[in-house]
Amino acid sequence: MAAVQLSGIFKRYGDTQVVHGIDLDIDDGEFVVLVGPSGCGKSTLMRMVAGLEEISGGDLMIGGTRANTLAPQQRNISMVFQSYALYPHLSVYENIAFGPRIRRESSEKFKPRIDAAAKMLNLSDYLDRLPRALSGGQRQRVAMGRAVVREPSLFLFDEPLSNLDAKLRVQMRTEIKALHQRLKNTVIYVTHDQIEAMTMADRIVVMNAGRIEQIGRPLELYDRPANLFVASFLGSPSMNFAEGVIVNRTQGTGLALKLTDGREVALERTPASAVAGANVTLGVRPEHIEITTQIPDAALDVEVIEPTGAETHLYGKIGGTTWCVTTRERSKIDPGQRVALRLPAEHIHLFDTESGRRLV
Ligand code: ADP
């Protein structure tokens, strides 16, 4: 097992810098997920850790050893890719045994490891089959079996579930997490899928344009996103936003946020840095909005209704911006209706509109 430290890691391709000084400490045994939109530098960072991409600057430590210039095979890493990269003409057993054979280990030595990995991954009945006679999920498990028998100190997963259908993705998500709980190995897992990040990670690293936006436990990031980027990236349907200006309340005392449609939302928890005149963006998650019969904070003109079974998403406009409200009740609301909403103070997030940084 190994702890991993990245200090000031950057990457340039010619004149273009794509990773801009990443600092990240990963504990021994931790499951860390790098998540961010396509092109933000996740794979590049992962490939630098694996030794498949040269590090342009900064220090990479794996298990206390500087690894910047170590060859991939000296880093004691196993990697699982999106394409399973199985050998089509080799059986499941031989695919899993490929690494030990290349290293000329004796089969008495590696066979018990392969049998144990096959058992753990529910592949024992398929060891003689060729990859083409397996389902997508089984192929993915063979790829994991191959990674496991190497007994690496660090596992790297690069979008391993992207090629699977929705149901299998959910199943494999649980299997990978269970595997980690059993093996207690250090894992760096790359995905663009925020649900995968939320459900699997001990800690999530949210990346954007070659930089880290925020690092933290899944629910910490969900409950207190540090900026507008993280707030809008995590959560599905996404957090709702409305821009406004802080004003003195016209009714009662204290401050309010005057939205662009002229409506005022009273601010019960006023951030110290927000003074009248400040440009602020309010954020509230769809599931935290309440449909009310009392005096509302906002009104939604419902345009589209999406029942998912467990809950219903109501989409509509508030002051020209599309918002989503999630209700767990079976909705009797129809498109075209106007719905009165309460925005509970304890669930309101406020961000500085210009910098995007969290105020409260
Ligand atoms: P992600 O994994 O987050 O989708 P990547 O790490 O693949 O992102 O890419 C990060 C950025 O680096 C992208 O803008 C991509 O175009 C650029 N990039 C990746 N590989 C190369 C390369 N070999 N030469 C030049 N630019 C590259």
Side-chain angles (χ1 to χ4, degrees):
M1 302 300 136
V4 180
Q5 278 113 28
L6 285 75
S7 319
I9 294 281
F10 68 91
K11 176 69 188 175
R12 258 195 307 262
Y13 290 108
D15 291 340
T16 318
Q17 189 154 326
V18 297
V19 172
H20 306 272
I22 297 285
D23 295 311
L24 176 62
D25 279 2
I26 300 173
D27 287 339
D28 188 11
E30 200 175 12
F31 195 126
V32 166
V33 176
L34 307 181
V35 67
S38 185
C40 73
K42 309 177 294 287
S43 297
T44 303
L45 193 60
M46 167 95 109
R47 291 168 61 79
M48 286 193 280
V49 174
L52 302 173
E53 202 69 75
E54 200 181 311
I55 298 173
S56 307
D59 289 310
L60 167 68
M61 307 286 285
I62 300 177
T65 305
R66 191 169 188 274
N68 286 48
T69 52
L70 288 183
Q73 58 275 19
Q74 293 172 307
R75 298 187 187 198
N76 199 14
I77 282 172
S78 276
M79 203 159 169
V80 180
F81 296 94
Q82 177 177 345
S83 60
Y84 324 122
L86 303 181
Y87 296 101
H89 57 289
L90 294 183
S91 67
V92 167
Y93 185 91
E94 288 303 329
N95 263 287
I96 299 178
F98 193 79
R101 279 212 201 283
I102 288 281
R103 288 194 301 279
R104 300 191 182 286
E105 283 183 40
S106 70
S107 62
E108 298 90 78
K109 197 167 150 230
F110 67 67
K111 188 169 182 308
R113 292 212 311 275
I114 291 174
D115 289 339
K119 192 160 172 239
M120 183 167 67
L121 292 161
N122 278 328
L123 288 169
S124 304
D125 295 339
Y126 307 101
L127 288 172
D128 295 330
R129 286 206 196 170
L130 291 176
R132 67 166 176 269
L134 299 175
S135 70
Q138 288 164 338
R139 283 181 213 170
Q140 185 55 270
R141 277 192 233 131
V142 177
M144 283 201 280
R146 198 168 48 184
V148 166
V149 292
R150 294 195 56 196
E151 300 183 328
S153 50
L154 175 62
F155 270 102
L156 304 179
F157 288 93
D158 192 357
E159 305 252 3
L161 307 184
S162 297
N163 285 342
L164 304 178
D165 65 45
K167 193 165 177 208
L168 207 49
R169 286 174 76 114
V170 175
Q171 191 187 328
M172 292 302 292
R173 217 158 70 189
T174 320
E175 286 187 21
I176 293 176
K177 202 168 165 177
L179 187 70
H180 174 250
Q181 278 160 6
R182 231 172 297 150
L183 299 177
K184 300 204 179 350
N185 42 7
T186 312
V187 174
I188 306 178
Y189 187 106
V190 164
T191 181
H192 64 274
D193 179 343
Q194 51 95 18
I195 306 255
E196 247 169 69
M198 287 294 294
T199 51
M200 298 174 85
D202 290 328
R203 273 193 309 157
I204 296 179
V205 178
V206 181
M207 288 183 66
N208 179 29
R211 292 193 168 80
I212 293 179
E213 294 279 351
Q214 193 174 4
I215 306 176
R217 293 179 179 285
L219 292 179
E220 274 170 20
L221 299 199
Y222 190 81
D223 292 340
R224 287 189 63 79
N227 54 47
L228 281 170
F229 181 85
V230 177
S232 62
F233 190 77
L234 295 181
S236 176
S238 172
M239 188 185 279
N240 301 296
F241 298 103
E243 289 186 15
V245 182
I246 301 241
V247 293
N248 290 307
R249 278 173 76 171
T250 40
Q251 288 169 350
T253 53
L255 297 178
L257 186 67
K258 187 167 185 170
L259 303 179
T260 43
D261 65 357
R263 195 177 278 269
E264 280 182 22
V265 179
L267 298 177
E268 287 173 29
R269 298 176 309 147
T270 311
S273 52
V275 290
N279 292 318
V280 165
T281 298
L282 173 149
V284 60
R285 295 206 180 274
E287 72 272 24
H288 291 145
I289 300 174
E290 294 166 14
I291 295 173
T292 183
T293 50
Q294 318 272 303
I295 299 171
D297 296 316
L300 182 80
D301 292 315
V302 177
E303 291 171 355
V304 175
I305 297 172
E306 280 182 0
T308 68
E311 54 194 29
T312 302
H313 306 310
L314 310 175
Y315 288 92
K317 290 268 177 7
I318 291 187
T321 314
T322 299
W323 274 40
C324 175
V325 176
T326 298
T327 156
R328 297 192 68 84
E329 315 262 307
R330 291 285 163 108
S331 165
K332 292 184 196 69
I333 296 160
D334 291 315
Q337 241 174 288
R338 176 169 277 205
V339 180
L341 305 178
R342 196 175 89 80
L343 312 179
E346 67 273 25
H347 290 302
I348 287 184
H349 305 256
L350 292 179
F351 304 93
D352 180 280
T353 301
E354 200 176 326
S355 69
R357 270 199 290 272
R358 177 185 195 85
L359 297 170
V360 67

